[in-house]
Amino acid sequence: MRGLKRKLSRLQRNMQENHHGLPTEFHDGYWYAKIPVGQTFLVDIQHNAQIKQAIIHILLDEAKRLVELRVDERMRVVVLIDLPTLWNSELLVFQDEEGLQTFIRIRRDSSHQKWIPIPHEKTSLSKWVIRSDLDIRVYGFKEWLFEEEDEGRELWMLVQ
C-alpha cells in the first residue's frame, strides 16, 4: 500500500498530540478517544493482518504512555479493539477498577446490544502477537446489536 509508513507514523503522532497528558475530565467514570484514522484506510487494509497488528501496537504503545502518566494506580487504561475492521477501536481511561467493571456490565446487557463473553483462545485475537512491557488482562466479547441483522463483531479490551 502506498504511503503506509507515512500513514502509520501520522496515526502515532496524532494519538500523542490528541492526548498529550492524562485526561482530567471523566464522564460516567471514564474518558475515551477513538482511533484517529479514516474508515477508508481501514477498509483498504482489512485483509492485511500485518498492518492491523501494527495499528494495534500503536494503540498499545499509547496506552503504555498513558499508564506511565497516571497519578493514581487505581486508574485503568484500556485498548478496545474492534475486530475485524478496527473502525470502532479506541483508548479508554477509567478512574478505577469499579468504573471499568460498571462499563462492562452496562454494555453487556443494554436495551440495544448484548456483549457475550468469549474465551481468548477461541477467537481471532489469539492469532495476533500482542507485545507489551506491562501485564495485560484480556476481556473478549461478541457484540450483538438487536436492531441489525449482521453477525456481530468481536470486541477486545486489553486492560493495563
Side-chain angles (χ1 to χ4, degrees), residues 2-159:
R2 231 184 109 149
L4 177 62
K5 196 174 193 177
R6 176 180 42 84
K7 289 177 183 178
L8 290 175
S9 58
R10 184 182 313 134
L11 169 63
Q12 190 166 21
R13 188 175 58 249
N14 286 345
M15 293 199 68
Q16 290 172 351
E17 288 173 358
N18 288 345
H19 29 84
H20 56 289
L22 200 63
T24 56
E25 289 187 32
F26 295 88
H27 301 286
D28 297 325
Y30 70 97
W31 167 93
Y32 74 96
K34 295 281 189 188
I35 186 172
V37 66
Q39 189 173 16
T40 53
F41 173 68
L42 294 174
V43 168
D44 288 346
I45 62 139
Q46 75 180 6
H47 299 295
N48 190 321
Q50 188 175 7
I51 298 172
K52 282 184 176 181
Q53 186 159 344
I55 292 171
I56 290 169
H57 282 259
I58 289 170
L59 287 167
L60 283 168
D61 289 345
E62 183 61 13
K64 178 184 175 197
R65 192 178 72 77
L66 290 175
V67 165
E68 291 168 354
L69 292 174
R70 69 183 175 188
V71 293
D72 187 342
E73 287 296 315
R74 295 177 303 156
M75 292 177 124
R76 298 293 177 253
V77 179
V78 176
V79 175
L80 179 76
I81 300 171
D82 171 28
L83 294 176
T85 64
L86 298 180
W87 173 239
N88 289 311
S89 296
E90 58 191 11
L91 282 173
L92 299 116
V93 177
F94 293 89
Q95 289 177 306
D96 54 29
E97 183 69 25
E98 182 181 332
L100 170 62
Q101 295 305 323
T102 300
F103 176 86
I104 292 171
R105 191 173 50 255
I106 289 172
R107 298 294 171 123
R108 280 171 70 169
D109 293 309
S110 73
S111 61
H112 68 283
Q113 71 182 7
K114 183 163 186 73
W115 284 12
I116 302 162
I118 49 179
H120 176 264
E121 299 78 29
K122 298 184 177 193
T123 62
S124 54
L125 185 72
S126 61
K127 72 180 177 185
W128 305 101
V129 178
I130 304 297
R131 63 164 166 71
S132 176
D133 300 341
L134 305 172
D135 289 334
I136 297 177
R137 280 184 292 151
V138 178
Y139 295 95
F141 302 96
K142 186 77 166 179
E143 180 189 52
W144 291 96
L145 300 174
F146 297 134
E147 298 171 1
E148 296 182 18
E149 294 184 21
D150 66 359
E151 294 181 20
R153 61 189 183 164
E154 285 185 19
L155 297 175
W156 289 96
M157 297 181 77
L158 307 178
V159 181

